[in-house]
Amino acid sequence: MMRLETAPDQEALAASIATAALGVLVEVQRDGRVPVFVLTGGSMGIAALAAIARDATVSAVDWSRVALVWGDERWLPAGDAERNELQADDALLRALPLDPALVHRVDASDAGFSLDAAAERYASIVDSLGRIDLALFGVGPDGHVASLFPGRDDLLLDGLGVPSALPVRDSPKPPPERVTLTLDAIRRADRVWLLAAGAGKAEAVAQIRVPGPEPLPAARISGLVETVLWADTEALSTS
């Protein structure tokens, strides 16, 4: 069952997400494991990462023992400011003592691989990590998560034989080409957290909380241990 966590505004919501995420990472490390943490882009996702950087407990995590993955990535040249990885670097990652070998980035479009090859390579990386401890996903106004868009049956595959990552073409949101984790990969995560802030997300949030006959992508994902919807007051305005 999905749990709802609320805050009055985006700033307060980001701060709550940050503190809770750091708590999960500390707990996993206390169990003697290297946590696998899936990052998200978008305004709320980046706000949450920036809040982690400001949180008083950020140093409680041994960041050299955290594996990072992205829920999706825009297939653009390395260094392009629109890549999710660059936004995450600016908000948080450059400030952390990470082990580069544990930071798993999607190949850039100028890395010498095709889009299909980039997706296959990323699927192999995700598979090699096995257990995912925490996955953050910003919710789009249309209810998409990662680059899984409503109405795109070619992306909303699940079941045996579905890889952990897929190439995306003709995305309804620019840029048109991307690499995304699949429903199956996301559902293997222990904790899946959906992040939504602002009135523009209210209709999607309402449909996540009460799914219709054709659920939005955000309503189709869940965690093995918990599924949490983090929403501010404006995002809950029609719920």
Side-chain angles (χ1 to χ4, degrees):
M1 179 176 291
M2 181 179 291
R3 187 174 87 244
L4 176 65
E5 296 284 349
T6 66
D9 54 38
Q10 185 187 68
E11 183 177 358
L13 188 67
S16 295
I17 293 165
T19 299
L22 289 166
V24 169
L25 299 180
V26 168
E27 180 183 348
V28 173
Q29 290 186 338
R30 282 176 180 161
D31 288 342
R33 295 190 296 106
V34 173
V36 177
F37 185 17
V38 177
L39 307 182
T40 185
S43 59
M44 190 63 241
I46 298 303
L49 297 187
I52 289 175
R54 297 190 299 267
D55 195 285
T57 64
V58 65
S59 61
V61 176
D62 178 357
W63 289 99
S64 69
R65 295 180 54 252
V66 176
L68 299 178
V69 184
W70 274 261
D72 71 329
E73 185 56 274
R74 297 156 179 176
W75 202 59
L76 295 167
D80 192 296
E82 292 301 307
R83 280 179 65 87
N84 287 332
E85 65 171 3
L86 265 293
Q87 296 176 35
D89 286 340
D90 291 342
L92 173 64
L93 304 188
R94 287 196 183 97
L96 300 177
L98 298 166
D99 180 350
L102 296 178
V103 181
H104 302 291
R105 303 174 187 267
V106 177
D107 292 316
S109 62
D110 57 354
F113 302 100
S114 68
L115 176 60
D116 293 279
E120 290 175 7
R121 284 163 55 83
Y122 212 60
S124 295
I125 289 171
V126 174
D127 290 343
S128 71
L129 295 173
R131 182 174 183 173
I132 295 173
D133 295 283
L134 174 61
L136 307 184
F137 292 98
V139 177
D142 60 353
H144 82 268
V145 287
S147 287
L148 302 174
F149 295 97
R152 288 291 299 267
D153 291 344
D154 57 320
L155 302 176
L156 301 175
L157 304 171
D158 58 11
L160 291 175
V162 176
S164 292
L166 285 174
V168 179
R169 293 180 172 84
D170 299 320
S171 163
K173 182 179 178 181
E177 295 181 318
R178 299 154 174 252
V179 171
T180 185
L181 296 188
T182 57
L183 289 174
D184 270 20
I186 295 169
R187 288 171 179 161
R188 295 201 300 270
D190 281 355
R191 298 167 182 83
V192 170
W193 293 359
L194 299 169
L195 320 181
K201 308 295 177 68
E203 186 57 39
V205 166
Q207 293 186 52
I208 292 168
R209 300 186 71 191
V210 185
E214 294 187 11
L216 296 174
R220 299 188 187 196
I221 64 173
S222 58
L224 297 175
V225 173
E226 67 174 13
T227 310
V228 183
L229 172 60
W230 296 82
D232 71 355
T233 300
E234 288 190 342
L236 292 168
S237 59
T238 66
S239 298

